[in-house]
Amino acid sequence: MPQALRKVVDPEDIASQSDYIAYSKSVHAHSPAIQRLLDLSEDYVPGAERGYKAGKPAVWCQANNFVPVLLYSLGVVPVAYNEMGRYSAKEDMLIAEDFYQFPVETCSMVKCTVAQWHKRLNAGTIDRILGSSSACEPFNLAWEIMRQRGYDVFNNDVIYRGPTVTGERLERLVEFTITQILDVAEWLTGQRKVDDDKLKVEIARKNRLLGKLRQVLELRRSHPFYMKTLAIILTLNVGLNNYFGKPQAYEAAIDDLILELENAPINEKEIKAAIPLVWAGGTGQEFGIYEAIDLAGGALLGLRSVPFRLYREDVPPLESMARWIYDNSIAGAGVYARNVLDSEVERLKARGVILYGYIGCSFASVDREMWRRFFHDKGLACINLEGSFQTGSPSGQVLTRIKAFVEMLAA
Ligand code: SF4
């Protein structure tokens, strides 16, 4: 568990992302399960790096979608490189801009990640990077640079299903993706094969956890403030994807959280006071935004990446992975994610949608604008925020806007 987490009980004392987690632990003094989930989040990257030094294989990757399912089946820990953003500061931006000559306007997530990899060169820690060409051009550039600097880098091809792709075209995509998955397995293990039984175990684990997280989300509707925004975002958007590198500990904490929520007394006043919100877009390391939602009385009950589709267990596991990719909101076209958001809005009777992205990201801003127009046409309030991947105190302007938005919904 993390060594350096200091006790932070006053939001005024927050000076770093670790402090936000420490503060969140104090806010969740009523819940040992949430405290454990926050500990797991805090120890995710350091724990994987410690494990690697002790001989446990680990790879930097996006650590979401099908990748963790595959990697765990191969005995490799998936380590989300964007989680390193929370250890970054201005100095990291300078490494990316001055040493690697990234233009200043490049997305800060990419710049933080490049700088963190730079600092780890020859440090005896994880030295392999699994990229994804579906990400974005700035990240493609980052991987190429890191390859030149000595990292062992592998990129799989773009995964994209257009909104009208069905039938034979979809079947060809599924076949292509199976070869992509085998490429990754070969790069990781030297063997172009996967162990079907181990893959089935991981698919079953993922389906089980998707079901449990759905249960958590349902229970939160009766306990909207039991689990605050930062904790649910870390638990869902990071933990559910990669289990913070510790699948059993993560699942045990989720089991305990369900028990806690089931036994917590229901407070009707609290339910009435909550302003149900849905979050769309990225969730970065700007933890102060989540804090601002809590302070303004918002209850973030739905997220774009809310668990919905299960992996099929009636087809061979490799095929199941490929089909899951194309049946899900991650298939590429923004309309898939919009449909998820829309069903969340309906299910939760949400009063507002928070659209969030990073300054310098031209890709996601197009999706966000389409979603904003869609919800506005339906008469739902939306706020479109651009933040940075900065650590430390959040930017004042973003905070002011989010507070004003939630307060407007309350009024
Ligand atoms: S926020 Fe946009 S530019 Fe930044 S890493 Fe993600 S896709 Fe790339």
Side-chain angles (χ1 to χ4, degrees):
M1 282 296 120
Q3 306 292 315
L5 217 55
R6 69 191 183 106
K7 205 168 173 170
V8 181
V9 291
D10 184 342
E12 296 288 317
D13 291 339
I14 292 171
S16 68
Q17 306 325 95
S18 281
D19 284 352
Y20 271 113
I21 294 193
Y23 174 66
S24 191
K25 283 184 72 177
S26 74
V27 167
H28 291 102
H30 57 279
S31 169
I34 296 173
Q35 296 205 23
R36 269 170 38 224
L37 287 162
L38 291 165
D39 279 342
L40 286 169
S41 163
E42 181 68 1
D43 194 49
Y44 178 21
V45 171
E49 292 194 282
R50 274 198 318 274
Y52 179 84
K53 286 181 179 168
K56 175 88 184 153
V59 168
W60 299 112
C61 56
Q62 276 190 312
N64 57 9
N65 306 333
F66 73 96
V67 169
V69 173
L70 175 67
L71 264 56
Y72 281 124
S73 82
L74 297 169
V76 178
V77 177
V79 194
Y81 44 69
N82 49 329
E83 284 300 293
M84 290 190 293
R86 71 173 70 172
Y87 309 114
S88 303
K90 279 217 161 51
E91 176 205 33
D92 298 76
M93 299 295 130
L94 295 179
I95 291 172
E97 289 165 14
D98 295 346
F99 189 84
Y100 289 108
Q101 296 288 296
F102 272 82
V104 177
E105 61 272 20
T106 307
C107 159
S108 48
M109 187 196 303
V110 177
K111 288 193 287 191
C112 297
T113 309
V114 162
Q116 289 290 324
W117 279 329
H118 173 84
K119 288 174 172 176
R120 285 167 169 77
L121 280 167
N122 307 316
T125 184
I126 305 164
D127 60 356
R128 307 185 89 187
I129 301 171
L130 173 58
S132 161
S133 303
S134 295
C136 62
E137 273 316 302
F139 254 134
N140 281 333
L141 185 61
W143 296 317
E144 284 314 309
I145 289 171
M146 287 303 125
R147 193 198 307 275
Q148 286 167 14
R149 298 287 290 158
Y151 278 90
D152 178 7
V153 179
F154 183 86
N155 265 13
N156 56 9
D157 212 326
V158 173
I159 288 170
Y160 180 84
R161 177 184 176 186
T164 58
V165 173
T166 53
E168 181 54 28
R169 285 175 69 198
L170 177 58
E171 293 311 307
R172 284 208 302 274
L173 274 181
V174 168
E175 274 173 37
F176 168 73
T177 303
I178 289 173
T179 66
Q180 291 282 301
I181 296 169
L182 287 171
D183 286 347
V184 175
E186 188 174 7
W187 171 67
L188 281 167
T189 65
Q191 294 189 305
R192 194 173 177 75
K193 62 177 186 184
V194 294
D195 181 325
D196 276 0
D197 290 337
K198 287 184 179 166
L199 206 45
K200 279 182 190 164
V201 167
E202 291 305 328
I203 285 175
R205 188 204 305 274
K206 180 62 81 179
N207 280 347
R208 207 167 55 237
L209 275 160
L210 285 167
K212 288 178 182 181
L213 265 295
R214 271 203 197 107
Q215 215 181 330
V216 168
L217 289 174
E218 270 312 302
L219 287 163
R220 283 187 75 235
R221 294 178 71 178
S222 312
H223 303 283
F225 298 121
Y226 192 89
M227 190 174 198
K228 303 285 186 175
T229 305
L230 173 61
I232 188 65
I233 280 190
L234 292 175
T235 299
L236 262 180
N237 278 19
V238 187
L240 181 58
N241 274 311
N242 48 53
Y243 323 135
F244 301 122
K246 300 180 185 77
Q248 284 159 352
Y250 176 75
E251 187 164 3
I254 294 296
D255 286 340
D256 288 349
L257 175 60
I258 290 171
L259 273 179
E260 285 181 11
L261 283 164
E262 283 174 341
N263 292 316
I266 290 178
N267 180 337
E268 292 295 341
K269 263 194 192 156
E270 201 177 80
I271 296 174
K272 255 194 165 159
I275 302 158
L277 299 170
V278 168
W279 181 283
T283 56
Q285 305 294 333
E286 217 171 357
F287 292 170
I289 293 175
Y290 313 142
E291 184 59 29
I293 293 173
D294 294 340
L295 290 175
L300 194 64
L301 299 181
L303 287 104
R304 170 194 159 170
S305 44
V306 70
F308 75 122
R309 291 273 165 86
L310 298 181
Y311 284 78
R312 283 177 61 178
E313 296 189 52
D314 62 332
V315 294
L318 267 179
E319 180 185 337
S320 170
M321 291 176 77
R323 292 200 182 281
W324 185 85
I325 292 165
Y326 292 112
D327 285 347
N328 243 311
S329 65
I330 52 158
V335 67
Y336 297 124
R338 192 202 69 195
N339 291 343
V340 177
L341 290 172
D342 195 26
S343 69
E344 280 301 281
V345 164
E346 296 292 333
R347 185 178 71 86
L348 299 166
K349 299 192 180 17
R351 306 233 305 259
V353 175
I354 300 171
L355 301 153
Y356 180 81
Y358 307 109
I359 295 165
C361 177
S362 52
F363 314 94
S365 57
V366 176
D367 278 348
R368 285 204 314 280
E369 190 48 38
M370 287 189 321
W371 299 337
R372 190 190 65 79
R373 192 171 296 179
F374 174 81
F375 288 115
H376 264 194
D377 289 349
K378 290 184 84 169
L380 190 72
C382 290
I383 184 169
N384 196 352
L385 298 174
E386 281 209 316
S388 74
F389 224 64
Q390 71 176 43
T391 56
S393 315
S395 65
Q397 196 207 14
V398 172
L399 282 192
T400 308
R401 289 187 63 205
I402 194 104
K403 273 185 201 154
F405 178 68
V406 180
E407 281 161 13
M408 174 194 84
L409 296 178

